[in-house]
Amino acid sequence: MSKDFLVADFEFTQYTKRMGRPRGFFSEIIEIGAVKIDGTELVVTGSIQNFVRPHFYPKQAKEGMDFCMITEQDMKQAIEFSEMLAKMSALYVPGQTYFVAWGEEDYKVVAEGCKRHKLDNPLLLEDYLDLAAAYKLMKGDSYTTGLRKATEEQNVDTGGLWHTAYDDAANTGKLLVKLLANGWKPEDYFAAVAELQNKQ
């Protein structure tokens, strides 16, 4: 049986200034977008689109919201971090679902959030598929291609606004489906990663 895919994208707070970093600062998720894709039929079978309430660093959260065009009104409908985990758990079965994102930050931001909120991380690291790294490996490039450029290279019919959580997740999902339909396999990526790790 083919594993399913939970393709996610998060908007989260960041601290980019050289000075004044708050003690213990970490990036907090302020928006989640995700689509679940059936591993056999390659069709979307579920989705998540929510703002997420930050708790630890309100000033940086406001800066992050401004960058992501998230308003105070949006945040009035935001869910708690724990609710976000529950929504992901409803679409993700450990060992039977790949957790897919473009880049390595998305898994890290969930893992750190779980640690700070003192909650169990429902996502297994071994299920994490960094599609940006997989695409880089597939092309044999020495650099990581951006999501938008990758969708253009693969002639993916994208939609929505770039750098919004749900639309980025949906477009990543469309790219994933295109790669799978063209014969790419996640197993090849994981085998290549294991081989590289063994050489180190």
Side-chain angles (χ1 to χ4, degrees):
M1 185 179 82
S2 297
K3 287 174 76 165
D4 295 332
F5 302 89
L6 179 60
V7 186
D9 183 80
F10 302 101
E11 299 299 335
F12 48 85
T13 61
Q14 298 186 64
Y15 194 83
T16 54
K17 297 178 184 141
R18 293 180 64 186
M19 304 288 286
R21 183 183 176 93
R23 185 181 178 90
F25 178 81
F26 73 102
S27 294
E28 291 185 83
I29 294 171
I30 53 177
E31 186 179 8
I32 176 176
V35 291
K36 182 169 184 179
I37 296 172
D38 180 275
T40 304
E41 301 294 328
L42 300 184
V43 295
V44 174
T45 59
S47 64
I48 306 169
Q49 185 174 16
N50 286 103
F51 299 106
V52 182
R53 194 170 290 115
H55 281 281
F56 294 87
Y57 299 96
K59 185 179 176 185
Q60 281 68 38
K62 182 69 174 68
E63 291 170 5
M65 286 163 57
D66 290 344
F67 177 78
C68 299
M69 298 175 292
I70 298 170
T71 66
E72 295 287 350
Q73 195 64 32
D74 292 330
M75 273 299 161
K76 286 179 181 175
Q77 297 138 41
I79 62 174
E80 295 293 335
F81 183 83
S82 58
E83 292 177 74
M84 182 199 77
L85 294 182
K87 282 175 176 272
M88 287 196 292
S89 294
L91 298 179
Y92 165 84
V93 181
Q96 296 178 35
T97 313
Y98 289 116
F99 177 68
V100 185
W102 192 263
E104 61 184 10
E105 291 304 313
D106 294 271
Y107 186 87
K108 287 180 181 177
V109 79
V110 174
E112 185 63 26
C114 289
K115 182 178 164 187
R116 298 298 186 100
H117 283 273
K118 297 182 169 54
L119 296 168
D120 291 333
N121 186 351
L123 307 169
L124 298 181
L125 182 58
E126 52 264 39
D127 286 334
Y128 186 42
L129 171 52
D130 177 351
L131 196 60
Y135 191 70
K136 174 183 175 181
L137 205 58
M138 185 190 82
K139 289 180 66 187
D141 286 338
S142 58
Y143 59 90
T144 301
T145 304
L147 175 60
R148 188 171 189 170
K149 182 74 162 38
T151 59
E152 290 169 355
E153 289 175 353
Q154 297 299 318
N155 297 312
V156 173
D157 184 17
T158 58
L161 292 170
W162 293 102
H163 305 300
T164 58
Y166 181 79
D167 292 338
D168 279 0
N171 288 328
T172 303
K174 289 177 182 178
L175 175 60
L176 170 68
V177 167
K178 187 74 174 277
L179 295 176
L180 291 165
N182 287 342
W184 173 81
K185 295 182 178 66
E187 294 83 3
D188 297 341
Y189 164 69
F190 285 109
V193 168
E195 190 176 331
L196 285 171
Q197 288 173 341
N198 288 336
K199 286 179 180 176
Q200 289 175 355

